Amino acid sequence: MKSATHNLRCTECGTVITGDEVNSIFRCPKCNGLYDVVYPWSENVTRPASGPEHNLPNASALRWLWQERRNSTLPIDQSGVWRFRDLLPIVSKPENVVTLREGNTPLYEMPRCAKAVGIEWLRAKHQGMNPTGSFKDTGMTAALSVAADRGYEWVACASTGNTSAAMAAYAARAGLRSIVFIPEGKIAWGKLSQSMDYGALTVQLKTDFDGCVRILTELVSRFPIYLLNSVNPYRLEGQKTPAFEMLEQLDWQVPDHIIVPGGNLANSSALGKGFMEMRHLGLISRAPKISVIQAEGANPLYRWFNDTNRIMRPVTADTRATAIRIGNPASWRKAANVIDKLGGWCEQVSEQEIALAKAQIGAEGVGCEPASAVTYAGLKKLVALGKVSPEERVVLILTGHTLKDSNYTIDYHRGELLTEAEEAQISAADKALHAGLRKPPIVLEPNPDVVMQTLESHMKVTQPA
Ligand code: F0G
């Protein structure tokens, strides 16, 4: 172990460096691999023979401490990320932590969605209930705190909209300046407005997400600007904490299967790291399976998963779930490792399936953005394939709030989302579901008789005598 608190280990060649030694693009100079943050207590790390770092953190003491902190008024205790800081000691001074009280997100029961898919137990961990409306806040509080800790003035990211919203907010909180690269015309307006609201320098590039990443890499190589895309391993340290929080919410009863949307493929890896660390420390005795779901039009991991030669081939991505419109995912190897180690699966879902799943999640009173709905659409496929059995306890990770992309929702309910050709491919059973779920607004003259008659026809109730 080079440093007492944490180091970075290349996930490809295993080279270990200190946090200070990492280059501006967070890639191993020997093999171009990505890093993981490792601690003296991590699996496969040689611990010192004696001293405080020799002992593994004690599982029951951690559980007690994390619960105790819920009663504290300190910002770092109120944060649903930093409450678990014993397992992410990445910042030199607690004063440097930048927090908006992220985390602490609900784990909802989903009884109607469960029944419709034929399983008994289904929950949704709603990461869209974070301060900027997506799971990115949990990662951003971690990595931005490291940027502040290291004295950076500028931070930057390429984004499909949620990372940029989160980065802009946390940078503003910390008094740092931020630069956002987003693909022009290919992100939801709500997300674009957030990055402006929080005062980022917002650059719309006439390219896709993958093109934005290339320009960002150039930028951080030329200037002392801290890169906050998910290749930055500190992001993943924050994004692993919802796994801890979920287990607390379930009284430490491990679910069987976690279903995650896949874009740049960092989040699935982060949650996997969280579960594996808990297993290693004895907080849980087994880890759940993690399955990753991609949109059909942005499915490089799905293709890799089904390729007998297991070769990763980037694709030109296209899906209305713009958050996951990514053809060349940076963290695909990390995600693939998690699927392999924890025994999950990778599926793809169509635009029609995403739209239906999103409306069904909305009809539970929960709601989410399109990219999050791939989880429920994917669950249906996994059940049909026998990869999830009816008695398995399943948790969907909903990554973004429904208000992130209200245009999508309005277009869906008005029947303007899908093309005629796409509508024609929908099965009769799903057509009936769509018909029951679509609730277009009704435009009426303010005439009481007309309004009452119209409502009556919708409510199918008789007037009291
Ligand atoms: N869901 C939402 C709502 C997202 O915004 C993203 C990624 C994902 C899922 C996929 O997560 O990349 O870790 O596999 N959004 C990024 C962004 C790329 O820039 O906001 P992943």
Side-chain angles (χ1 to χ4, degrees):
M1 208 59 201
K2 299 182 111 189
S3 144
T5 58
H6 79 273
N7 285 303
L8 304 181
R9 182 169 62 196
C10 174
T11 50
E12 305 284 326
C13 71
T15 302
V16 175
I17 59 171
T18 65
D20 300 331
E21 285 166 346
V22 73
N23 59 21
S24 60
I25 56 169
F26 292 95
R27 295 257 179 197
C28 175
K30 289 188 197 152
C31 69
N32 207 36
L34 296 179
Y35 292 99
D36 260 347
V37 179
V38 287
Y39 304 101
W41 46 262
S42 294
E43 240 170 324
N44 306 322
V45 165
T46 324
R47 274 182 287 144
S50 60
E53 276 80 43
H54 171 73
N55 296 322
L56 287 184
N58 178 284
S60 32
L62 285 178
R63 281 196 203 129
W64 177 84
L65 187 60
W66 294 344
Q67 198 58 41
E68 272 309 286
R69 286 182 183 149
R70 284 183 179 277
N71 300 325
S72 157
T73 52
L74 276 183
I76 50 167
D77 287 342
Q78 290 189 345
S79 160
V81 169
W82 296 104
R83 201 155 58 77
F84 303 103
R85 58 188 174 274
D86 318 271
L87 299 191
L88 53 150
I90 52 178
V91 177
S92 68
K93 294 191 223 90
E95 309 85 90
N96 288 345
V97 163
V98 186
T99 173
L100 287 163
R101 319 295 189 271
E102 51 291 317
N104 301 311
T105 59
L107 184 70
Y108 291 126
E109 294 87 9
M110 302 292 281
R112 278 170 263 169
C113 284
K115 192 160 179 237
V117 74
I119 67 171
E120 283 154 29
W121 193 101
L122 180 65
R123 300 284 186 273
K125 176 81 176 144
H126 207 325
Q127 293 300 97
M129 300 297 181
N130 267 294
T132 76
S134 87
F135 73 104
K136 304 288 183 178
D137 293 343
T138 56
M140 208 46 81
T141 184
L144 204 122
S145 297
V146 173
D149 203 39
R150 303 242 157 106
Y152 277 89
E153 234 173 277
W154 285 88
V155 293
C157 73
S159 178
T160 55
N162 280 327
T163 297
S164 44
M167 182 189 75
Y170 282 86
R173 271 319 267 187
L176 305 191
R177 309 287 307 279
S178 63
I179 301 172
V180 160
F181 290 124
I182 46 174
E184 197 208 5
K186 288 163 197 151
I187 77 164
W189 286 113
K191 302 177 186 178
L192 176 61
S193 74
Q194 283 182 292
S195 107
M196 297 190 285
D197 198 25
Y198 303 131
L201 185 54
T202 305
V203 184
Q204 290 182 279
L205 291 178
K206 295 181 180 177
T207 176
D208 55 10
F209 171 80
D210 302 298
C212 289
V213 169
R214 283 193 289 275
I215 300 292
L216 175 71
T217 308
E218 275 293 311
L219 178 80
V220 297
S221 306
R222 294 188 198 185
F223 298 98
I225 298 177
Y226 195 65
L227 177 82
L228 281 173
N229 270 44
S230 53
V231 291
N232 181 325
Y234 297 110
R235 283 262 313 272
L236 277 62
E237 290 309 288
Q239 285 176 213
K240 77 186 179 186
T241 61
F244 307 159
E245 191 175 87
M246 181 196 306
L247 263 295
E248 271 188 335
Q249 288 166 316
L250 292 172
D251 263 335
W252 300 96
Q253 301 298 306
V254 185
D256 299 300
H257 214 126
I258 310 292
I259 305 191
V260 192
N264 217 13
L265 296 170
N267 201 32
S268 32
S269 348
L271 293 168
K273 187 172 192 277
F275 286 115
M276 287 189 266
E277 286 182 356
M278 279 191 282
R279 184 178 61 187
H280 174 60
L281 295 177
L283 282 153
I284 52 177
S285 57
R286 63 178 178 89
K289 291 177 226 166
I290 293 193
S291 288
V292 177
I293 314 295
Q294 297 202 294
E296 265 179 22
N299 62 355
L301 188 73
Y302 171 81
R303 287 170 187 243
W304 170 86
F305 193 75
N306 287 289
D307 176 7
T308 40
N309 298 320
R310 290 252 157 143
I311 295 172
M312 172 50 73
R313 291 188 182 85
V315 302
T316 304
D318 196 15
T319 167
R320 291 182 185 87
T322 49
I324 51 173
R325 196 174 188 275
I326 295 171
N328 189 13
S331 298
W332 74 269
R333 268 189 206 279
K334 285 190 180 185
N337 265 338
V338 162
I339 296 178
D340 276 351
K341 279 194 185 152
L342 299 184
W345 203 252
C346 185
E347 253 311 321
Q348 63 171 359
V349 290
S350 69
E351 295 294 300
Q352 296 92 324
E353 288 164 338
I354 298 171
L356 180 57
K358 179 171 143 50
Q360 289 174 300
I361 294 167
E364 286 264 22
V366 170
C368 64
E369 69 162 285
S372 311
V374 303
T375 54
Y376 183 51
L379 172 63
K380 294 180 194 175
K381 290 210 157 156
L382 296 180
V383 171
L385 287 168
K387 301 294 171 199
V388 170
S389 55
E391 67 287 348
E392 270 183 57
R393 289 154 42 101
V394 180
V395 180
L396 308 177
I397 306 293
L398 301 183
T399 44
H401 197 280
T402 182
L403 288 175
K404 283 280 190 175
D405 194 351
S406 39
N407 282 356
Y408 181 105
T409 312
I410 293 169
D411 286 349
Y412 170 78
H413 287 282
R414 285 193 172 140
E416 293 165 6
L417 182 74
L418 301 171
T419 62
E420 266 178 40
E422 285 172 323
E423 291 274 356
Q425 288 165 356
I426 300 175
S427 69
D430 280 1
K431 261 197 185 123
L433 289 175
H434 279 294
L437 287 162
R438 276 195 174 124
K439 301 277 184 257
I442 309 161
V443 183
L444 292 176
E445 293 300 329
N447 172 324
D449 293 337
V450 174
V451 174
M452 299 313 138
Q453 271 165 20
T454 312
L455 291 187
E456 241 177 79
S457 74
H458 280 269
M459 292 156 75
K460 294 199 178 68
V461 288
T462 45
Q463 289 283 0

